[in-house]
Amino acid sequence: MTQGRGRLLGKSAVITGAAFGIGRATALVFAREGARLVVTDIQREPLLALADELRQAGADVEAVVGDVSIESDARQMIAAATEGFGRLDVLVANAGTIPLGDVLEMTAGEWDEVMAIDGRGMFLTCKFAIEAMLPTGGGAIVCLSSISGLAGQKRQAAYGPAKFIATGLTKHLAVEWADRGIRVNAVAPGTIRTERVMRLPEEPGGSEYLAAIESMHPMGRIGEPAEVASAIVFLASDDASFITGAVLPVDGGYLAQ
C-alpha cells in the first residue's frame, strides 16, 4: 500500500458501504493516511476480504457486517469504533443503493428500499456518530450525496430524491453541531466507475444511458472511485478545519453547466 501523508494519523473512522466502489476506495486511502478503521457493509464476504487486505497492508481495522437501515446494526457500527478504538473521529456515510427508473417504472417497494438505505441509514449512522463524537470534543462526518442530490436527472425518480436527503441532512446537521466541534460535509459525485455503473450495459438501455451520461460530463469521461475518495479524505481531515455544510461536487464539471 502506497504511504500517504498521514492526514488521518491515529484517527478512528467508520466507513459504511465499504465493500465496493467509492466506499472501498475510501477505505484504502484512509488506511494510507493512517486512520484506524471500522469498515461496514451488508455483503459479508467482500467486506471481510477488504478487511484482510487492509490488515496485510498494516492497517488497524475491524469489519462489521450489517444494514445501515436497521437501527441496532447502525448503532453497532459506531459502537465498534468507540469500543475498539476508544473514540470516533470520522464517519463516512457512504452506504446506498442506486435503482434506475423513471417515476412510472419505480415501484413503491423500490422507493421504500432506497429511502430506507440512502435516507434512513444515513440519518441513523449520523445520529449515532454525533452521539459518539460529542463526549470527545467533535469530529468530522462526510455524507455521500450526488449530482442527483443537487440537480434533476432522468431515470432517478427514487435515487435522486434520496440524495436530496443527503444534501439536506448535511446542511442541517452542520449548522446544528458546528458549535460543538462537529463538521458535516458531503461530496456530490458525478457518474463514477463503480461496480454498479459497470453493470449498466447488462440492463435494457443501459449502454445507451451510460454513453449519454458520459457525454454530459464536460471532461468527457466518468470518474474513478479513487477521485471521490481523495475529496472525502480532504473533508475528513484537519486540512478542512474551517469547512462545514459544504457539498463538494466531484463531477468532471457536470454541475457547472
Side-chain angles (χ1 to χ4, degrees):
M1 185 177 291
T2 304
Q3 186 63 40
R5 295 199 289 118
R7 286 177 290 177
L8 300 176
L9 188 62
K11 291 186 183 292
S12 166
V14 173
I15 302 172
T16 68
F20 296 105
I22 293 169
R24 188 179 197 281
T26 301
L28 293 172
V29 72
F30 269 45
R32 288 198 298 269
E33 296 290 347
R36 299 175 294 168
L37 291 172
V38 175
V39 291
T40 85
D41 206 283
I42 199 169
Q43 299 190 62
R44 175 181 294 273
E45 295 308 319
L47 180 68
L48 297 182
L50 169 64
D52 286 343
E53 180 182 344
L54 293 169
R55 290 190 191 102
Q56 290 169 14
D60 191 355
V61 60
E62 182 175 347
V64 177
V65 179
D67 183 339
V68 293
S69 71
I70 297 174
E71 187 168 358
S72 58
D73 285 8
R75 189 185 293 276
Q76 178 54 38
M77 292 170 188
I78 303 304
T82 56
E83 293 170 6
F85 303 131
R87 58 185 294 130
L88 175 68
D89 300 296
V90 178
L91 166 67
V92 180
N94 169 72
T97 183
I98 312 176
L100 290 178
D102 63 31
V103 72
L104 301 181
E105 295 169 323
M106 285 288 106
T107 66
E110 288 169 324
W111 171 273
D112 290 345
E113 180 183 21
V114 72
M115 290 299 164
I117 299 169
D118 296 40
R120 174 185 167 93
M122 187 171 290
F123 164 79
L124 288 172
T125 49
C126 286
K127 172 184 173 66
F128 297 135
I130 290 169
E131 185 179 79
M133 290 173 177
L134 287 172
T136 55
I141 295 173
V142 183
C143 296
L144 267 288
S145 185
S146 167
I147 55 175
S148 300
L150 291 169
Q153 283 188 291
K154 291 183 177 180
R155 304 200 69 216
Q156 300 282 11
Y159 175 74
K163 287 305 178 181
F164 268 87
I165 291 175
T167 298
L169 194 62
T170 295
K171 291 183 177 292
H172 286 278
L173 294 181
V175 171
E176 195 164 62
W177 299 103
D179 62 352
R180 300 293 298 275
I182 297 174
R183 296 185 301 104
V184 187
N185 294 292
V187 291
T191 304
I192 305 299
R193 197 184 305 277
T194 62
E195 289 83 355
R196 174 68 183 93
V197 169
M198 290 296 88
R199 290 198 305 271
L200 284 175
E202 302 169 10
E203 302 175 17
S207 295
E208 294 79 6
Y209 177 79
L210 183 56
I213 287 291
E214 285 185 359
S215 70
M216 293 172 69
H217 291 67
M219 292 183 70
R221 65 175 177 87
I222 62 175
E224 299 296 333
E227 293 176 305
V228 183
S230 293
I232 292 170
V233 76
F234 163 68
L235 291 172
S237 76
D238 292 340
D239 288 348
S241 57
F242 198 54
I243 301 174
T244 196
V247 182
L248 175 62
V250 187
D251 65 355
Y254 184 100
L255 290 172
Q257 301 174 100

